[in-house]
Amino acid sequence: MPSYRAPKIAAAEITPERFFLDRRTFIAAAAGSLALSATKPSRAAALEASKSIYRVDEPATPEKDATTYNNFYEFGTGKGDPAANSANFKPAPWTVKVDGLVGKPREFGLEELLAFPLEERIYRMRCVEAWSMVIPWVGFPLAALLDRVEPLGSAKYVAFETVVRPEEMPGQSGYFQPLEWPYREGLRLDEARHPLTILSVGLYGKTLPNQNGAPIRLVIPWKYGFKGIKSIVRISLTETPPPCTWNLAGPNEYGFYANVNPAVDHPRWSQATENRIGEGGFFGANRRDTLPFNGYAEEVANLYAGMDLRVNF
Ligand code: MTE
């Protein structure tokens, strides 16, 4: 068991986000009342919908599915391998080194990371393999951490690395090595600073289980799941696009951007629909349409204005 205190989400800790949403609603309502009659009923519906960006209005995936059906190749390539093979992984003590093009490079200890103001956010998640989940994450905006290290004007990208520990991660020590280690990911700085991008330290009100990327992992709800790098030990700000594990492994199949896009198929399968894990029927009637940017287009589409998303997939 990790020795640090589990960030159990008490009602009091969720409240600040409610305040945030209420404030947002209040501001939007104030702005709207200038243009619209304050009594128009459609206004209330529109404001209600704006909340779903942070707490999507769909049932959460059963916790059992979210913690036993995983991708974490450091523990094996099967969906059940991360839960089955990660018991000996030690997520504490832990440090994340933040360096590169920043004014104040430094390391953050786990206690310090857990001291960022945590929020619960219910995000729709979409894996490149055409399955999806709805997960109540606990975390804080990556931007809050970046602010502390003061990115330089020359910083354009953010690179992330997972820990390398073959003695605790059987997928890194076996005869068959499916990927090059460390697992790496990257974002453009504006994507990294977007308010929807969080570092997660928990789910379902509990500390992050090893198989989900303990003690800290990235969550970017409008991108395919492979961008959500787990068990992060290093974050570096760079001037050029950093190497990314799946992009290196299959550049024609996994792009740098990896924005969820039902109109751009994977070379070997369609991305138009998805199977919501926990609802049953992989090929059956329960398949649902995949949404552009995974349903977060209103928030993030402007980050890609003028870009050809078929080329920058
Ligand atoms: N991070 C590391 N270090 N290693 C991995 O194999 N798999 C990615 C991503 N982060 C992976 C990783 C993929 S493909 C997905 S879909 C998500 O983690 C899965 O996250 P989850 O198991 O918490 O649902």
Side-chain angles (χ1 to χ4, degrees):
M1 284 296 288
S3 60
Y4 60 89
R5 194 175 61 85
K8 284 261 186 256
I9 305 310
E13 287 171 86
I14 295 170
T15 310
E17 198 207 1
R18 290 234 177 85
F19 281 152
F20 172 70
L21 290 172
D22 286 345
R23 210 178 108 250
R24 209 179 127 94
T25 303
F26 176 75
I27 292 165
S33 67
L34 297 175
L36 287 164
S37 149
T39 54
K40 237 185 179 164
S42 61
R43 189 80 208 147
L47 293 173
E48 197 57 37
S50 75
K51 290 184 180 180
S52 70
I53 289 157
Y54 296 98
R55 302 177 76 87
V56 75
D57 190 18
E58 289 168 24
T61 298
E63 185 180 346
K64 182 116 179 65
D65 290 321
T67 56
T68 57
Y69 190 87
N70 301 103
N71 277 329
F72 200 167
Y73 278 26
E74 284 86 337
F75 295 107
T77 56
K79 302 294 178 225
D81 289 346
N85 300 336
S86 62
N88 294 329
F89 181 71
K90 294 181 191 65
W94 195 267
T95 54
V96 177
K97 180 179 185 179
V98 189
D99 63 1
L101 301 173
V102 297
K104 296 189 168 163
R106 49 166 296 197
E107 290 190 349
F108 291 84
L110 191 50
E111 309 293 334
E112 217 176 339
L113 294 167
L114 294 174
F116 277 91
L118 302 179
E119 298 171 23
E120 183 175 74
R121 296 186 174 199
I122 304 175
Y123 279 166
R124 198 185 288 117
M125 304 302 296
R126 171 64 157 77
C127 181
V128 74
E129 296 166 307
W131 45 268
S132 64
M133 297 191 187
V134 173
I135 300 192
W137 296 106
V138 179
F140 61 90
L142 173 60
L145 180 125
L146 295 175
D147 284 345
R148 297 267 187 99
V149 296
E150 299 177 11
L152 302 178
S154 52
K156 299 282 180 286
Y157 294 87
V158 186
F160 304 84
E161 275 181 33
T162 294
V163 73
V164 179
R165 279 192 203 162
E167 57 301 344
E168 292 177 29
M169 302 174 120
Q172 288 183 333
S173 58
Y175 176 71
F176 170 67
Q177 297 288 308
L179 294 171
E180 259 183 58
W181 315 116
Y183 193 101
R184 292 169 203 270
E185 259 309 333
L187 296 172
R188 233 169 43 192
L189 183 57
D190 59 343
E191 299 177 314
R193 297 193 64 91
H194 192 280
L196 283 171
T197 303
I198 58 169
L199 286 169
S200 169
V201 296
L203 40 67
Y204 300 85
K206 300 170 186 162
T207 304
L208 212 55
N210 288 345
Q211 61 268 33
N212 292 89
I216 187 160
R217 58 90 57 87
L218 188 64
V219 177
I220 319 123
W222 73 92
K223 291 181 180 281
Y224 291 120
F226 68 85
K227 298 294 287 185
I229 182 171
K230 297 175 169 182
S231 305
I232 298 167
V233 287
R234 186 170 176 198
I235 300 176
S236 307
L237 283 88
T238 65
E239 194 159 7
T240 54
C244 300
T245 293
W246 282 103
N247 183 236
L248 289 174
N252 302 324
E253 306 194 359
Y254 311 102
F256 172 80
Y257 285 94
N259 294 319
V260 174
N261 190 343
V264 176
D265 288 340
H266 184 279
R268 290 181 281 130
W269 60 83
S270 165
Q271 295 291 16
T273 63
E274 65 200 50
N275 169 47
R276 181 61 53 83
I277 298 293
E279 288 184 350
F282 205 94
F283 301 102
N286 285 325
R287 281 192 88 80
R288 61 177 71 213
D289 289 344
T290 289
L291 303 170
F293 298 103
N294 206 24
Y296 299 93
E298 209 183 305
E299 288 288 298
V300 302
N302 64 319
L303 294 175
Y304 311 101
M307 282 175 62
D308 184 341
L309 299 179
R310 290 188 172 274
V311 176
N312 299 287
F313 61 97

